[in-house]
Amino acid sequence: MQTRITSWCLAIAVMLLLMPAQAPAAVLDARWEFRLLPGNAQASAHPRASAWRTAQVPGSVHTDLLAHALIPDPYVGAPEASLQWIGLADWEYRATFDVAAATLARPHAELVFEGLDTFAEVELNGQPLLRADNAHRTWIARVEGRLQPRGNTLRIVFRSPITTLLPSVQAMPHKIAGNYPSPYGDEPRDAMVGNFVRKPAYHFGWDWGPRYVTAGVWRPVRLETWGAHRIDDLAVRTDRLDADAALLTAQVTVRHEGAAASALLDVDVRDPEGRIVARAQHNALLQPGEQQIDVLLQIDQPRRWWPAGQGAQDRYTVHASLGRDEDPALRAERRIGLRSIELRRKDDADGGQGFAFVINGREVFAKGANVIPFDAFPARVATSRLRTILTAARDANMNMLRNWGGGYYEDDAFFDIADELGLLVWQDFMFGGGMQPGYDPAFRQSVVAEARDNVRRLRHHPSIVLWCGNNEEETAWKDWGHGRDLEKADPVFAAKVWQGYVDLFGNDLRRVVAEEALGVPYWSSSPSNDLDTKANDSTRGDKHYWQVWGNPALPVTAYLRETPRFMSEYGLQSWPSQAMVDRIAPRAEQRIDSPVIQAHQKFMAGQGNERLLHYIRLGYGEPRDFAAFLYLGQVMQAEGIQLAALHHRASRPYTMGSLYWQLNDVWPGASWSGLDHDGHWKALHFQARRFFADLAVAALRDDGVTRISLLNDTPTPQRVDWRLRVMALDGREISRRQQAIVLAPGSATEVGRLGDARMLGVEDPARTIAVVELLQDERVVSRQVVSFVEARDQALQADQVQASLQGEGDQLEVVLQARGLVRAAWIDFGLHEVVLEDNLLDLLPGERRVLRVRSDRDAATLRAALRVQTLGDSRGVHAVR
């Protein structure tokens, strides 16, 4: 029975919601073990895995096998092919646990499984408990009357998703398109199962990560108990929000067992300092079953939550209690942020349509990157690692991250940190590509349950500003040939598949978001125009642009000719540092075509180094050795993404977002990331801090013309000067121009378009540069060096910078002194952990830079390790092989 009770107090309510409150619940205190299921086809080849051994929960079979030295490190060398048997095997986990008398005395109990990967048969004390088939869902089973004081046994059998699904997939007369076929023979290339199972898609391999098809209890198991009633959910809806007042509806979901009863419901709101700023009480009549009680609250002069760069990230705490008992089952608390969100899609006179996020009534240019899973085995991603990487995003002046759909719904810790840092989150549902069997009612039902679980769990986070149905499925169907090919083979089945897509992503998930997400908008796919005609359009909706790097591998200047409404994917690849590569491959095997290096290069099935070398050669010439290949790849990536991002920003307000691919890495290897697997900053991330700065200059040269724009993403006018100097590589100044200007809030202001002939005159383009700077209070806040030829053709010299490490203890500084023009100076300390204030620097002739250094190493060790590499040092005549 559903009962809705409305209570007024102070007025109405502000935004954000709150999620299911937990009864007296604790992670199950159990001793876990695992083994290869007896009788499995893999047992004869791997007998050592058949014995019971201790297991770590949360965890996965791969990490448990690794802990017992039954497999090699999956990240070092090239063991991937030899480990595919794990995904073909069935595995058994068991837990033994006791239950305290006080817990047993409570009349109601549930076991809650936050993550079972994936086809799981669960027994409790020898009796069936549940069967799971979706790794993204929370699975709950009532267990009152089935627990005993001592020696409870929980048994879980995980069936291989490949062997479970392969017979039915192979039996299909015509297959729906999958993602990345396995190169290892564990499943046929024409019958991929990944699209049919609700499991992280990247476990089946991607073009930046390995194929490790995991199994296990990957999130905690909890035992929850309660008395006559409990608070199941607390959500906060914003009914009105402005500078004067926030009107909120606190939606308290209560479960009551037994006859009707009354209870006092108390809800209060505390400000960031802990002071109560709103309070309401209601004498609730509880009926058997679940009911929602709405409590209206008002906060005067609310402190709104803003994305980074736009204001503070103030948050409030909402607390609900049912009755005077201190029972945790009768308490719920959520931390929320007060903000409004709109996805503004305003039509243009020429038929286009805008795509802008509006926070608290203010259009915000989205600056950031796409996030992929942080590890092949998600249970070993610590909160400290999430904080390191998200803090790095904020430190690089990002304000938005897109949680890509081929992974898993992140832990609450991810969103707590995003809330704190002011990082907006574009959240995909977990569909990574290819096509889904949306025509199957059971599949759709499972997805709807998954969506409700996760929207309800995460909806109280102010950082989440969009729920998106999937990644690239619509454009794959319409643009990549997936739909065309199936229509040719079986037009009736093709129509059924497409209708299933529309039902799932056009209707089902849209409805879940409308019902559960408290006003956060929904978008059916990325890229898309939300199921309206063309999927990947530059005039409407969001855009993925891969003609640079992908096919046809256009030069990076092509970025300047692609102007989208919102660029949600684009990217260039690089390898991580020499120190990271040394961890996965011995120096003797560090060449672009060695088996171990190719094993960590997933693009084009290991041949992606040729594409990377192609782009290095286009802009920078031939690397002289593998170390130079690593360095030049990072420079190429950083400078290419800078070109695109500044073009997007300079195109404001037509373009209102630039999210490059990708922020982080899933393992050590080649990828499009700006941070390596450990969170170390690659060259791209240092460059991103400059090209995403709130105040920046964009000097974009294309086809002999340099377009200069001044960018102000702050919410206030900015009084600045911009300066243009043309100079020779030795420092001789040829011309100078400077002008004062006031930049409007949230603006891109073009101040000039200058042809090469006008700037160069009779000067040699290979020996001349233009320096464009933005100054505030006589301080340079942004600079770009414009070259008139490709770096490979510039008359750059080697040994143009002198570097030294000065100071001792925690007062260390790197001092750089330039003799002539220095391009892309990269400071490196080898294997030593060092945090540098800045890196990847262009230095003008005679310029001196002093950079702070943090490290736990002593000064003498760091002085001996200090190296600086520049473009002038890194070119050679020998091919990198």
Side-chain angles (χ1 to χ4, degrees):
M1 177 179 178
Q2 282 283 100
T3 304
R4 182 176 295 266
I5 306 168
T6 303
S7 170
W8 285 85
C9 174
L10 293 169
I12 307 180
V14 88
M15 122 150 231
L16 274 157
L17 91 225
L18 290 161
M19 87 185 212
Q22 307 303 336
V27 173
L28 191 66
D29 183 11
R31 180 180 183 272
W32 287 90
E33 298 175 297
F34 84 109
R35 68 176 177 178
L36 183 64
L37 187 68
N40 186 260
Q42 301 297 321
S44 60
H46 306 281
R48 295 181 63 209
S50 297
W52 284 111
R53 299 176 190 270
T54 58
Q56 181 69 43
V57 170
S60 74
V61 64
H62 285 79
T63 52
D64 287 332
L65 290 167
L66 180 61
H68 290 282
L70 296 176
I71 61 172
D73 189 326
Y75 288 2
V76 176
E80 192 174 344
S82 67
L83 299 181
Q84 295 309 304
W85 66 272
I86 301 171
L88 294 170
D90 297 335
W91 298 91
E92 183 178 10
Y93 279 72
R94 71 182 180 190
T96 56
F97 63 98
D98 300 331
V99 180
T103 302
L104 279 175
R106 297 174 71 85
H108 307 292
E110 290 177 342
L111 276 174
V112 180
F113 301 85
E114 294 185 7
L116 297 174
D117 182 13
T118 295
F119 290 105
E121 302 157 12
V122 185
E123 296 178 357
L124 175 63
N125 294 331
Q127 298 298 315
L129 188 64
L130 63 85
R131 296 174 71 96
D133 62 0
N134 187 327
H136 301 299
R137 287 182 60 179
T138 298
W139 296 90
I140 301 174
R142 295 293 289 260
V143 294
E144 55 261 39
R146 301 183 62 174
L147 298 170
Q148 53 199 35
R150 304 247 177 239
N152 294 280
T153 301
L154 190 63
R155 177 176 181 262
I156 308 175
V157 173
F158 292 98
R159 303 292 180 181
S160 163
I162 299 173
T163 60
T164 297
L165 292 174
L166 191 56
S168 60
V169 174
Q170 285 183 302
M172 296 174 66
H174 301 286
K175 314 297 191 293
I176 60 176
N179 295 311
Y180 292 95
S182 173
Y184 304 116
D186 52 320
E187 71 178 10
R189 296 177 67 86
D190 65 344
M192 292 178 279
V193 306
N195 285 21
F196 295 85
V197 57
R198 295 309 298 144
K199 170 182 176 61
Y202 80 105
H203 286 167
F204 294 91
W206 220 264
D207 60 0
W208 36 253
R211 178 184 175 90
Y212 289 130
V213 182
T214 64
V217 186
W218 74 284
R219 276 185 167 155
V221 180
R222 302 192 315 270
L223 175 62
E224 298 183 0
T225 62
W226 67 98
H229 41 254
R230 74 175 188 182
I231 295 178
D232 268 354
D233 189 51
L234 172 59
V236 181
R237 189 185 71 228
T238 301
D239 298 318
R240 172 190 155 193
L241 178 62
D242 54 33
D244 296 325
L247 303 180
L248 316 173
T249 299
Q251 301 172 332
V252 185
T253 302
V254 176
R255 186 192 306 187
H256 179 63
E257 315 260 359
S262 62
L264 181 66
L265 178 64
D266 194 325
V267 180
D268 64 51
V269 183
R270 297 174 187 265
D271 69 11
E273 288 72 43
R275 298 169 299 209
I276 294 177
V277 293
R279 190 167 200 166
Q281 289 185 331
H282 180 80
N283 192 20
L285 177 63
L286 303 181
Q287 300 292 340
E290 188 178 88
Q291 52 240 273
Q292 178 178 299
I293 304 171
D294 289 355
V295 178
L296 302 178
L297 303 158
Q298 176 170 320
I299 302 173
D300 294 324
Q301 287 79 52
R303 291 151 67 172
R304 287 175 287 183
W305 183 94
W306 290 94
Q310 300 296 312
Q313 288 75 54
D314 289 318
R315 286 176 290 167
Y316 290 78
T317 302
V318 181
H319 181 270
S321 59
L322 195 62
R324 301 300 184 188
D325 196 324
E326 292 302 315
D327 185 349
L330 306 178
R331 302 284 179 270
E333 185 174 279
R334 296 294 179 267
R335 202 170 184 193
I336 67 169
L338 305 181
R339 63 100 179 92
S340 63
I341 170 64
E342 173 194 354
L343 179 59
R344 183 169 292 167
R345 301 174 64 201
K346 185 178 180 181
D347 290 336
D348 298 334
D350 60 1
Q353 188 179 70
F355 190 101
F357 288 93
V358 183
I359 311 297
N360 299 328
R362 183 186 301 163
E363 286 195 357
V364 174
F365 190 99
K367 302 177 294 189
N370 289 259
V371 173
I372 65 169
F374 294 85
D375 199 88
F377 314 112
R380 66 181 186 181
V381 179
T383 299
S384 58
R385 188 151 150 228
L386 295 177
R387 179 168 291 281
T388 293
I389 291 175
L390 295 190
T391 301
R394 176 63 188 91
D395 288 347
N397 294 307
M398 296 183 184
N399 61 16
M400 177 176 276
L401 300 174
R402 174 180 172 237
N403 266 343
W404 168 78
Y408 51 86
Y409 304 94
E410 285 289 348
D411 286 342
D412 292 79
F414 177 99
F415 299 94
D416 288 336
I417 297 167
D419 293 346
E420 175 190 331
L421 298 176
L423 293 170
L424 304 174
V425 177
W426 168 315
Q427 180 63 53
D428 283 0
F429 287 101
M430 289 301 113
F431 296 90
M435 182 53 72
Q436 308 300 320
Y439 50 82
D440 178 359
F443 183 89
R444 283 176 53 199
Q445 184 179 23
S446 179
V447 170
V448 168
E450 162 195 323
R452 289 194 192 278
D453 279 354
N454 286 286
V455 174
R456 286 176 175 175
R457 174 172 69 91
L458 299 173
R459 61 189 174 179
H460 60 286
H461 292 284
S463 53
I464 297 178
V465 294
L466 187 72
W467 285 95
C468 178
N470 66 71
N471 171 77
E472 294 188 340
E473 293 197 7
E474 184 181 349
T475 191
W477 182 265
K478 292 180 176 179
D479 303 326
W480 300 358
H482 291 186
R484 179 198 62 224
D485 294 345
L486 192 56
E487 286 165 3
K488 288 180 180 178
D490 188 339
V492 174
F493 183 52
K496 181 179 178 180
V497 170
W498 177 246
Q499 185 57 51
Y501 176 93
V502 173
D503 290 341
L504 179 58
F505 297 109
N507 301 323
D508 293 347
L509 294 181
R510 192 185 307 275
R511 183 174 62 254
V512 170
V513 171
E515 292 172 353
E516 307 286 1
L518 301 178
V520 171
Y522 175 77
W523 191 245
S524 62
S525 183
S526 179
S528 80
N529 193 24
D530 205 19
L531 283 168
D532 182 10
T533 63
K534 189 175 180 181
N536 197 13
D537 192 355
S538 294
T539 66
R540 304 167 67 88
D542 71 310
K543 178 82 174 180
H544 291 193
Y545 183 69
W546 287 105
Q547 280 69 40
V548 176
W549 181 266
N551 293 320
L554 298 176
V556 294
T557 51
Y559 281 136
L560 301 175
R561 296 154 204 165
E562 178 61 45
T563 308
R565 307 315 298 250
F566 190 106
M567 188 70 91
S568 47
E569 275 194 28
Y570 63 101
L572 292 164
Q573 211 189 62
S574 73
W575 278 82
S577 68
Q578 180 69 67
M580 178 69 80
V581 175
D582 286 344
R583 285 164 47 181
I584 61 175
R587 287 288 177 99
E589 297 184 42
Q590 291 183 18
R591 59 184 192 277
I592 68 170
D593 58 352
S594 78
V596 65
I597 292 299
Q598 287 189 329
H600 288 259
Q601 167 59 276
K602 295 301 182 180
F603 182 66
M604 297 197 306
Q607 301 303 310
N609 288 328
E610 294 289 347
R611 181 64 53 85
L612 179 53
L613 189 55
H614 163 74
Y615 276 95
I616 291 172
R617 286 168 173 159
L618 278 180
Y620 303 91
E622 189 73 33
R624 66 186 182 190
D625 53 25
F626 190 79
F629 168 74
L630 299 180
Y631 161 73
L632 289 175
Q634 288 207 25
V635 175
M636 178 278 300
Q637 179 192 38
E639 295 192 340
I641 298 302
Q642 172 183 252
L643 191 71
L646 288 177
H647 169 61
H648 301 152
R649 294 188 65 191
S651 301
R652 179 179 184 158
Y654 185 90
T655 302
M656 283 302 294
S658 182
L659 308 180
Y660 63 77
W661 187 270
Q662 64 206 59
L663 178 68
N664 60 306
D665 261 340
V666 74
W667 78 327
S671 81
W672 295 260
S673 72
L675 299 170
D676 72 16
H677 182 248
D678 290 344
H680 299 131
W681 292 32
K682 295 163 69 174
L684 170 57
H685 206 74
F686 284 101
Q687 198 82 326
R689 185 164 60 185
R690 292 187 277 270
F691 63 66
F692 279 152
D694 286 342
L695 286 175
V697 61
L700 306 172
R701 181 181 176 274
D702 186 30
D703 199 22
V705 175
T706 299
R707 175 168 57 104
I708 302 173
S709 299
L710 309 181
L711 312 173
N712 175 21
D713 280 349
T714 75
T716 57
Q718 298 292 325
R719 187 178 301 276
V720 298
D721 282 68
W722 71 275
R723 180 170 66 196
L724 168 65
R725 291 180 286 168
V726 179
M727 64 175 59
L729 300 193
D730 62 5
R732 176 175 57 91
E733 189 169 292
I734 297 163
S735 65
R736 173 190 289 252
R737 174 183 177 185
Q738 186 163 334
Q739 181 180 351
I741 188 172
V742 176
L743 303 179
S747 66
T749 304
E750 185 175 311
V751 293
R753 296 192 179 211
L754 304 175
D756 289 355
R758 178 178 174 185
M759 287 194 284
L760 284 169
V762 299
E763 301 294 332
D764 181 356
R767 300 178 181 278
T768 309
I769 57 170
V771 181
V772 187
E773 295 167 313
L774 193 65
L775 297 91
Q776 194 167 49
D777 299 326
E778 300 184 352
R779 181 176 63 91
V780 176
V781 296
S782 178
R783 173 199 284 171
Q784 267 193 273
V785 175
V786 178
S787 300
F788 296 98
V789 296
E790 296 288 353
R792 67 170 187 251
D793 299 320
Q794 271 188 307
L796 298 172
Q797 302 297 313
D799 301 321
Q800 291 298 294
V801 63
Q802 180 180 359
S804 62
L805 184 71
Q806 299 182 4
E808 296 290 341
D810 59 358
Q811 302 297 315
L812 294 174
E813 295 175 332
V814 170
V815 179
L816 301 178
Q817 181 68 51
R819 301 182 183 94
L821 176 67
V822 175
R823 287 283 317 278
W826 181 254
I827 305 163
D828 182 54
F829 289 90
L831 297 175
H832 304 299
E833 290 284 339
V834 173
V835 177
L836 275 165
E837 178 183 4
D838 205 354
N839 214 335
L840 194 73
L841 304 169
D842 289 341
L843 301 177
L844 302 182
E847 185 174 5
R848 184 175 185 266
R849 288 290 304 273
V850 179
L851 306 171
R852 293 188 300 273
V853 177
R854 288 191 289 112
S855 178
D856 59 2
R857 302 289 183 170
D858 62 85
T861 299
L862 295 179
R863 285 192 185 96
L866 173 62
R867 300 289 185 273
V868 178
Q869 193 167 13
T870 75
L871 287 183
D873 302 324
S874 302
R875 293 175 297 190
V877 296
H878 304 293
V880 51
R881 293 293 178 190

